[in-house]
Amino acid sequence: ADPTADETVTCTSTGGIDADGGEVTLSYAWDINGTPAGTGPTLSSTTSRGDILTCTVTGTDDSGATGTSTASVTVGNTPPTVSGVTLSPSSVYTNDTVTATAIFDDFDGQTVSGEFEWHVIDFATGVDVVAQSGPDVNLSGVSHFDRDDEVYVVVTPNDTVDDGTPITSA
């Protein structure tokens, strides 16, 4: 899988073989979109979605002869997150509307929207039903819940590329 912008990337080599039986020393050079970005087997530089990371490994033997190998990878999308979701008002009556407030974040700086899957647990039967699903942050008690029912929402963030991990409200 492609790395994401918040990951350290490692370049591994199986080593080199010296036809003369000598030792081969490996060196690493990194670039991001053609600009030098570091040396060593790992790259911890700040990257962005879509950047092309290239690692060039050079093997040098005891006599100074060299050989190189290059590998590239494109930085993928970092899925968005939901750091919290709350419902309001804190006391709800049958004809009230419950509103979910979610806090979204995206490492790549993309705009995040949410999928709100509203659940109602029927007081009389204990059955958990998905009452409504979509972008709506509101659930109306007029058509979805009655006295003593329990209401909660599962919020899934999306940055137009990937869904993040869902979070469930109280």
Side-chain angles (χ1 to χ4, degrees):
D2 289 340
T4 58
D6 58 346
E7 290 182 297
T8 296
V9 181
T10 302
C11 184
T12 56
S13 175
T14 57
I17 299 173
D18 183 7
D20 301 327
E23 188 174 319
V24 176
T25 303
L26 300 177
S27 62
Y28 300 84
W30 289 91
D31 70 60
I32 300 173
N33 301 322
T35 301
T39 59
T42 61
L43 178 67
S44 297
S45 183
T46 301
T47 59
S48 298
R49 182 174 59 93
D51 282 348
I52 298 172
L53 311 181
T54 303
C55 175
T56 301
V57 180
T58 302
T60 306
D61 70 8
D62 294 337
S63 64
T66 62
T68 61
S69 181
T70 301
S72 295
V73 66
T74 301
V75 175
N77 183 59
T78 303
T81 60
V82 180
S83 60
V85 60
T86 57
L87 300 180
S88 60
S90 57
S91 294
V92 179
Y93 299 95
T94 302
N95 291 328
D96 285 351
T97 296
V98 179
T99 301
T101 303
I103 301 168
F104 298 118
D105 189 39
D106 187 72
F107 186 84
D108 302 317
Q110 297 158 292
T111 300
V112 180
S113 63
E115 173 82 12
F116 294 81
E117 183 180 87
W118 289 95
H119 291 253
V120 175
I121 302 172
D122 184 85
F123 174 74
T125 65
V127 175
D128 185 330
V129 175
V130 175
Q132 176 179 298
S133 186
D136 197 344
V137 298
N138 298 306
L139 182 70
S140 171
V142 172
S143 52
H144 293 292
F145 56 86
D146 294 315
R147 181 175 178 222
D148 295 324
D149 288 348
E150 291 182 45
V151 175
Y152 68 96
V153 67
V154 178
V155 181
T156 303
N158 181 282
D159 63 7
T160 71
V161 178
D162 290 312
D163 284 340
T165 303
I167 188 170
T168 303
S169 72

